[in-house]
Amino acid sequence: MNPAFSTTNLTKVYQMGEEQVVALNKISIEVPQGDYLAIMGPSGSGKSTLLNLLGCLDQPTEGNYELIGYAVGNLDDDELSKLRVQQIGFIFQSYNLIPYLDVLENIALPASYDKTSNLDAIKAQQIAELVGLGDRLNHKPLQLSGGQQQRVGIARSLANDPAFILADEPTGNLDSQTGTEILTFMRHAVTELSQTIVMVTHDPVAASFA
């Protein structure tokens, strides 16, 4: 099976005045398609830096990153934007939903940035039903619980059938019971949809699902 992505000697160094801060030091990983990976570590260990590099939001100082056959370091800004919207789904700790859009419209948002997307209203509704929101299609975010909002975030990340999903502390703002439900939905996406998920977390309970 081909990897969803791989990195070789991925390094990120920040220049802080006269001091160089090494945030990542020669990270080499290969993640197969359909894997569920947890990246753990305390604050300041480089988790967010690695997430930004994997999400094509930043460039490494050294090393290589290959995503579904694309050498990311060789792409220009337009190509990186296209790769992000078509091949990477994001799940955020703070949900990042658009408050004046309903559930279906929030789910369909990535498709609005991708002219080649085949997402339509029927498929968006199917994704909503997949995460248990079939009876909340026309609700706005403020009419939803935190767990329901995060389900919208998961559904939105699946909208363009990306190569993999990056989840940044996806249960950080949820109580333990709701967090477990969200992690179970994410596990469902891996097993039923053969989706690939990379989750950044400091929570051993969340990591145990990976």
Side-chain angles (χ1 to χ4, degrees), residues 55-107:
C56 299
L57 301 171
D58 197 4
Q59 293 281 359
T61 306
E62 298 177 15
N64 298 306
Y65 173 30
E66 188 168 296
L67 172 60
I68 58 163
Y70 291 95
V72 174
N74 296 334
L75 303 181
D76 60 29
D77 287 345
D78 288 340
E79 291 169 327
L80 284 172
S81 295
K82 183 178 179 181
L83 193 66
R84 274 195 301 270
V85 74
Q86 293 183 345
Q87 302 298 344
I88 305 172
F90 294 92
I91 304 174
F92 304 97
Q93 178 177 344
S94 55
Y95 321 136
N96 286 10
L97 303 180
I98 306 300
Y100 55 83
L101 299 182
D102 64 24
V103 166
L104 276 180
E105 291 167 336
N106 268 288
I107 292 172

Side-chain angles (χ1 to χ4, degrees), residues 4-25:
F5 69 88
S6 62
T7 72
T8 306
N9 294 327
L10 207 64
T11 300
K12 184 66 177 181
V13 179
Y14 293 102
Q15 191 72 39
M16 309 289 287
E18 296 182 356
E19 182 182 1
Q20 286 191 333
V21 178
V22 181
L24 294 176
N25 187 19

Side-chain angles (χ1 to χ4, degrees), residues 2-173:
N2 294 326
F5 69 88
S6 62
T7 72
T8 306
N9 294 327
L10 207 64
T11 300
K12 184 66 177 181
V13 179
Y14 293 102
Q15 191 72 39
M16 309 289 287
E18 296 182 356
E19 182 182 1
Q20 286 191 333
V21 178
V22 181
L24 294 176
N25 187 19
K26 297 182 179 179
I27 305 296
S28 296
I29 54 177
E30 182 174 291
V31 177
Q33 294 177 8
D35 202 5
Y36 190 174
L37 173 72
I39 299 173
M40 296 191 69
S43 296
S45 62
K47 302 189 303 298
S48 294
T49 300
L50 180 57
L51 197 74
N52 287 337
L53 295 180
L54 296 179
C56 299
L57 301 171
D58 197 4
Q59 293 281 359
T61 306
E62 298 177 15
N64 298 306
Y65 173 30
E66 188 168 296
L67 172 60
I68 58 163
Y70 291 95
V72 174
N74 296 334
L75 303 181
D76 60 29
D77 287 345
D78 288 340
E79 291 169 327
L80 284 172
S81 295
K82 183 178 179 181
L83 193 66
R84 274 195 301 270
V85 74
Q86 293 183 345
Q87 302 298 344
I88 305 172
F90 294 92
I91 304 174
F92 304 97
Q93 178 177 344
S94 55
Y95 321 136
N96 286 10
L97 303 180
I98 306 300
Y100 55 83
L101 299 182
D102 64 24
V103 166
L104 276 180
E105 291 167 336
N106 268 288
I107 292 172
L109 194 61
S112 68
Y113 299 112
D114 178 16
K115 295 179 181 178
T116 66
S117 175
N118 62 359
L119 184 76
D120 55 22
I122 294 176
K123 185 177 178 182
Q125 181 171 340
Q126 289 172 342
I127 295 173
E129 291 170 350
L130 179 70
V131 298
L133 291 173
D135 59 345
R136 295 288 190 273
L137 300 180
N138 301 121
H139 285 59
K140 304 289 175 56
L142 291 178
Q143 297 172 304
L144 304 173
S145 68
Q148 289 170 334
Q149 290 184 61
Q150 191 58 293
R151 291 188 204 183
V152 179
I154 294 172
R156 179 184 56 193
S157 75
L158 295 167
N160 281 344
D161 191 24
F164 76 107
I165 293 170
L166 288 176
D168 186 8
E169 299 282 6
T171 60
N173 286 339

